[in-house]
Structures are given as C-alpha cells and as structure tokens.
C-alpha cells in the first residue's frame, strides 16, 4: 500500500486539477476495498483415531463433552474437550461382535441437543431407512445417564410420504424447530432438510427445503447450527450407492457454510454458496467419509467425525 501511495502522489502532481480529483476518488475506492475483510478459509488443525470404537456416525457437544455414536455401535463414546475418553454409556444390549448386524442395527446417524423437562438432553435418531429396526429415537439425559427409547414410527411414516427412500443422516435445532437432513443417493439424488416442530417428546412434520448442490453423488451427512452468528454448517460425503441401505465406494467429503440460516430455510430451495472440499485442507481426509460436524467451545472451531466403512472412527478438528 505504501508503494501505491508514493506512485500515486508522483503521478497526480503532474496531472491537471480535475484529473487529480478523479484520481483521488479512485484511490479512496481502492483503499476501502483493500480494508474489507473476507471470511477466513477453513484450516486443518489436527486428527486422531478413537480407540476401538466402531463406525462413528454422529457427534454432539454439551457441557464440555463430546458425545459420539456409531451407527452399528452398542455404546455411546464420551470424550472430554481435549478428546480424551471419559466413559462409554450403554445404548443397547451388547452382542458378541463389536459391530451390530447390519439388518438389525438401530442405525443412529444423527443427534441434536434439545431441552427436555427443562434440562439439556441429547436426542439420537435412527435413520428410518429400514422399518421397524431404524424407526426409533433415543434420548440421553447426561446427568443421570438414563437412556429412553422413543418409538418414532408414526413420525417416520409421515416423512416417508414426503421423501422417497427415507434416510435421516443429520440433525440440528433452531429454537423449537428441529432440522433433519434427508440424504439422497444415486437413484433418488435430491437432498433435503425436513423442518419439524419439537414439543417435549412429540415431533411434528412442518415443511421441507431442497438442497441445491452440484456435486455428483454427494449426500448430506451432518449438520450443526451456530445460533449467535446464525450460521448453518452442513457436511456432505460422496458415495456411489443406489439406495439408503448399501454402502458404496467412498469419494470426497465437503463442508458447507451457510449464513443467514433462519431466512434461507424459509425458502423451498437452499442454495449453498460456499462449499469446501475437505481433502484440499489436508490429505488426511482422503478415504474418510465425514459423517457429522459439531461446533466446539472455541470460537470458529469444529470437530468432524468420520467412518471409513471398515469399522474405524476418526476425528478431525478444523477452524473456519
């Protein structure tokens, strides 16, 4: 900027007065433009592997703890804010194998912090992709570690009337409104956010918002909402599968950052203006299917959980 000012001063001294005025106006525009701050690009910070914990699929943050659930796990993994394991909470009866059978598993793919009986709790949602095994939600009350099962069949049947090949893969909350991410596949390619009203243990469908993305085989996989900044964070992963049941070849994973989320979700179609390919941040994202995202206690920091379809769980920390 200093060199620019020196050159500008020399040039304007030899110009007529009228041209000097125009040049000064131009310089003001240049200086103002150079002072405008743009949103920083996401930055890879670190990664770690969860020890002997299968298929991490969803993550929520509450009271300086991360609660992670795998779609075929029987226990809930609880980490402290430094990502050290604190405990595991039983969600289902544990079988002889570390991973539950695919046909019978509850397939918990999303979770969200809610208010239940005037206390914070975490709601874990089955995907709904196989009925009745995946038509349940599970409410964890962290204070007493009690887990309640909610039969969601009626609500999921309502969603099936709206979405072909139902597959709930993400969840977030804005006030009393619940956002559910409905993942597409190579047969039914569209991804949606279903908006529902949450009232105690009753969830009622309200409307839907189609996600307008132009990435082949990309499906919504995780979601979180930053209320102070009104930012919706969505993760996507590309996978070559024709339905909501079978796994396919893992492709790239992405992070979408959506500002003015409340207003954007009132439209029938949500256009994503900023999409980041995570492997551009670090090669450590290669061959990792990002399943969920959670805002941490630190400003502008996220924790991502990944499943490699081999029963492993990996955690990635990034800033945005």
């Amino acid at each position: 900027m200093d060199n620019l000012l020196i050159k500008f001063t020399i040039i304007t001294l030899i110009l007529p007065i009228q041209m000097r005025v125009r040049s000064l106006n131009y310089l003001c525009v240049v200086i103002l433009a150079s002072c405008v701050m743009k949103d920083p690009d996401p930055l890879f910070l670190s990664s770690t592997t969860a020890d002997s914990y299968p298929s991490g699929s969803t993550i929520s943050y509450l009271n300086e703890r991360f609660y992670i659930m795998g779609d075929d796990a029987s226990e809930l993994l609880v980490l402290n804010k430094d990502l050290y394991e604190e405990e595991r909470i039983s969600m289902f009866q544990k079988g002889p194998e570390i991973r539950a059978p695919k046909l019978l598993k509850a397939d918990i793919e999303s979770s969200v912090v809610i208010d239940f009986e005037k206390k914070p709790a975490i709601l874990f949602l089955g995907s709904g992709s196989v009925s009745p095994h995946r038509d349940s939600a599970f409410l964890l009350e962290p204070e007493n570690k009690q887990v309640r099962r909610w039969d969601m069949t009626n609500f999921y049947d309502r969603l099936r009337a709206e979405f072909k090949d139902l597959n709930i893969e993400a969840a977030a909350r804005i006030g009393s409104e619940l956002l559910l991410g409905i993942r597409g596949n190579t047969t039914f390619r569209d991804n949606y956010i279903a908006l529902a009203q949450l009232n105690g243990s009753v969830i009622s469908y309200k409307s839907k918002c189609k996600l307008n993305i132009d990435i082949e085989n990309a499906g919504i996989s995780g979601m979180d909402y930053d209320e102070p900044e009104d930012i919706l964070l969505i993760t996507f992963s590309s996978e070559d599968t024709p339905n909501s049941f079978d796994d396919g070849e893992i492709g790239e994973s992405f992070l979408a950052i959506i500002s003015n989320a409340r207003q954007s979700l009132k439209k029938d179609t949500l256009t994503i203006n900023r999409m980041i390919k995570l492997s551009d941040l670090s090669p450590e994202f290669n061959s990792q299917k990002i399943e969920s995202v959670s805002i941490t206690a630190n400003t502008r920091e996220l924790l991502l959980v990944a499943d490699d379809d081999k029963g492993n769980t990996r955690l990635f920390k990034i800033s945005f």
Side-chain angles (χ1 to χ4, degrees), residues 3-70:
N3 290 334
L4 176 63
L5 288 172
I6 293 171
K7 292 178 181 178
F8 180 84
T9 301
I10 294 173
I11 293 172
T12 51
L13 286 175
I14 62 175
L15 292 175
I17 292 177
Q18 189 174 13
M19 293 185 67
R20 289 184 195 177
V21 172
R22 292 177 182 173
S23 298
L24 283 169
N25 290 338
Y26 173 76
L27 180 62
C28 289
V29 172
V30 171
I31 293 174
L32 286 173
S34 67
C35 294
V36 174
M37 298 294 291
K38 70 172 185 176
D39 288 337
D41 290 329
L43 179 67
F44 171 78
L45 300 177
S46 63
S47 70
T48 186
T49 300
D51 185 33
S52 301
Y53 188 79
S55 312
S57 295
T58 183
I59 182 169
S60 287
Y61 182 74
L62 177 62
N63 295 334
E64 298 190 338
R65 291 176 176 84
F66 293 101
Y67 293 83
I68 298 169
M69 188 63 195

Side-chain angles (χ1 to χ4, degrees), residues 133-152:
H133 304 295
R134 304 180 181 185
D135 286 359
S136 297
F138 300 85
L139 182 79
L140 170 70
E141 299 175 79
E143 282 190 2
N144 56 24
K145 302 175 188 177
Q146 180 180 347
V147 178
R148 310 185 191 197
R149 176 184 171 274
W150 292 354
D151 185 349
M152 303 288 285

Side-chain angles (χ1 to χ4, degrees), residues 257-271:
I257 302 174
I258 302 166
S259 302
N260 303 315
R262 286 181 179 270
Q263 289 299 317
S264 298
L265 288 165
K266 292 180 180 180
K267 301 176 183 178
D268 293 334
T269 301
L270 178 61
T271 299

Side-chain angles (χ1 to χ4, degrees), residues 82-246:
D82 298 316
L83 303 186
Y84 290 107
E85 181 175 335
E86 283 201 350
E87 61 179 329
R88 299 191 182 197
I89 300 172
S90 177
M91 295 284 282
F92 322 109
Q93 183 176 358
K94 193 171 185 179
E97 302 293 334
I98 190 172
R99 303 171 71 184
K102 189 166 185 176
L103 281 172
L104 302 177
K105 67 180 183 179
D107 200 36
I108 293 174
E109 294 280 2
S110 59
S111 59
V112 59
V113 176
I114 66 171
D115 296 319
F116 183 74
E117 297 180 349
K118 299 182 179 180
K119 293 181 180 179
I122 305 176
L123 186 65
F124 295 87
L125 296 139
S127 67
S129 56
V130 175
S131 186
H133 304 295
R134 304 180 181 185
D135 286 359
S136 297
F138 300 85
L139 182 79
L140 170 70
E141 299 175 79
E143 282 190 2
N144 56 24
K145 302 175 188 177
Q146 180 180 347
V147 178
R148 310 185 191 197
R149 176 184 171 274
W150 292 354
D151 185 349
M152 303 288 285
T153 303
N154 290 337
F155 176 64
Y156 280 23
D157 284 344
R158 176 69 181 88
L159 292 179
R160 290 185 185 99
E162 295 288 335
F163 307 103
K164 297 177 180 178
D165 204 10
L166 178 66
N167 190 11
I168 302 170
E169 288 274 341
R173 182 171 68 99
I174 298 181
S176 63
E177 205 166 56
L178 192 65
L179 312 181
L180 301 177
I182 313 298
R183 183 180 175 93
N185 51 57
T186 59
T187 303
F188 303 102
R189 296 183 177 275
D190 293 332
N191 293 271
Y192 288 90
I193 293 178
L195 286 77
Q197 190 68 33
L198 180 63
N199 184 13
S201 61
V202 178
I203 304 176
S204 306
Y205 174 78
K206 290 178 60 179
S207 61
K208 61 185 175 182
C209 178
K210 181 180 174 182
L211 291 167
N212 188 14
I213 58 174
D214 189 23
I215 299 173
E216 188 176 8
N217 299 339
I220 187 170
S221 63
M223 189 161 48
D224 202 1
Y225 176 65
D226 184 340
E227 184 172 8
E229 296 196 42
D230 192 24
I231 293 175
L232 184 64
L233 300 145
I234 305 177
T235 55
F236 295 86
S237 61
S238 57
E239 186 178 20
D240 188 10
T241 178
N243 55 58
S244 60
F245 181 80
D246 294 313

